[in-house]
Amino acid sequence: MDTASMKQALASGLPQLERKLTDAQLDTFCAFGSALVEKNQVMNLTAITEPEQVARLHFLDCIALLGAANFYGKSVIDVGCGAGFPGVPLKIAEPSIDLTLLDSLKKRMDWLEATLPELGIEAQCVAARAEEYALAHREQYDIAVSRAVARLTMLAELCLPLVRVGGHFVAMKSADSDEELSQAAHAIATLGGKVTRIWDYPVPGTDAVHRAVVITKVKATPKPYPRRFAKIKQQPL
């Protein structure tokens, strides 16, 4: 694939995010993008396959989260990571992160577990449901991130139990998610969280404006949460 155009689109968008990457980091991004598009021919990983769009709508969009909270040296879990977003771009751009990738689809996680070491990207790849993983890893992470399409009420119950008190859950949302935020207020408070920042940012090289919702863990999540996924879905908080 045309990794040169991917690299150019990525490099040209970084100044807008006030970020700098080394040539080696840019090459790692391109290698991951190339592996993603190649594997996508036999596994449904992404609808975005054009090199410049991979750079903008996957890589730059995820790197932007580094401006929403302090990720340096933090333990980070990406809940519902899919093909590795936003966790893998965050790790490439900020190598000090101790990254765990979590998704319930084992085939995706097997691919990430095989591919990332070949690219020099360190991450723990876990195939499990978030509500089950939280039973053994409760409040162990500094930051949870999610780019999953689930509504914030559900995501909060899946992610906040994994975050230590004083840490953050950073959710990637659309800029028109005000109603969703309002509907999630009760769930966030019940789970020990508080919205401390709503940050809208333009995705470089596109007309898109996306949103990072930063929810700080201000008190421990009550023991009954998270509930089983069927219950979360049927009776959202």
Side-chain angles (χ1 to χ4, degrees):
M1 69 176 299
D2 183 9
T3 55
S5 64
M6 183 185 294
K7 187 174 184 178
Q8 174 58 32
L10 180 56
S12 64
L14 290 171
Q16 191 173 337
L17 301 178
E18 299 182 351
R19 294 283 150 191
K20 292 183 179 180
L21 297 178
T22 65
D23 245 11
Q25 286 172 302
L26 291 172
D27 287 342
T28 300
F29 268 111
C30 290
F32 179 63
S34 182
L36 172 74
V37 172
E38 180 180 354
K39 188 64 176 180
N40 196 63
Q41 295 175 12
V42 294
M43 184 187 296
N44 183 23
L45 295 172
T46 177
I48 301 167
T49 57
E50 196 275 323
E52 293 181 11
Q53 294 300 86
V54 170
R56 293 168 180 147
L57 295 174
H58 278 324
F59 297 158
L60 291 170
D61 186 28
C62 295
I63 293 170
L65 286 195
L66 295 173
N70 178 16
F71 282 80
Y72 182 81
K74 298 295 195 294
S75 58
V76 177
I77 183 165
D78 180 355
V79 177
C81 70
F85 300 108
V88 173
L90 291 173
K91 175 66 176 178
I92 299 172
E94 181 47 78
S96 70
I97 289 172
D98 180 5
L99 177 65
T100 298
L101 298 168
L102 179 68
D103 196 273
S104 61
L105 191 59
K106 189 175 186 300
K107 285 197 295 185
R108 283 186 194 142
M109 301 316 295
D110 287 346
W111 173 72
L112 285 167
E113 192 167 34
T115 301
L116 297 184
E118 296 177 355
L119 306 179
I121 303 168
E122 294 183 9
Q124 294 176 288
C125 300
V126 180
R129 299 195 67 90
E131 71 276 14
E132 295 169 357
Y133 185 76
L135 295 175
H137 300 84
R138 191 176 191 86
E139 299 186 342
Q140 291 189 7
Y141 293 90
D142 297 316
I143 300 176
V145 294
S146 185
R147 198 189 190 192
V149 296
R151 292 185 68 78
L152 191 55
T153 302
M154 295 174 61
L155 284 177
E157 187 166 350
L158 295 172
C159 294
L160 277 172
L162 292 163
V163 178
R164 66 169 179 82
V165 175
H168 308 287
F169 165 38
V170 183
M172 299 180 74
K173 287 290 171 185
S174 67
D176 61 353
S177 56
D178 291 346
E179 182 180 354
E180 183 179 343
L181 265 166
S182 178
Q183 292 173 348
H186 173 71
I188 291 168
T190 299
L191 296 160
K194 180 181 179 180
V195 176
T196 51
R197 188 178 186 191
I198 299 172
W199 184 45
D200 293 347
Y201 59 92
V203 179
T206 76
D207 295 327
V209 176
H210 290 172
R211 171 173 289 176
V213 179
V214 181
I215 300 168
T216 300
K217 186 78 166 280
V218 295
K219 60 182 179 181
T221 300
K223 291 296 184 184
Y225 305 105
R227 299 165 294 166
R228 292 185 179 276
F229 187 73
K231 182 68 72 173
I232 295 173
K233 191 174 181 180
Q234 290 168 3
Q235 297 179 2
L237 288 171

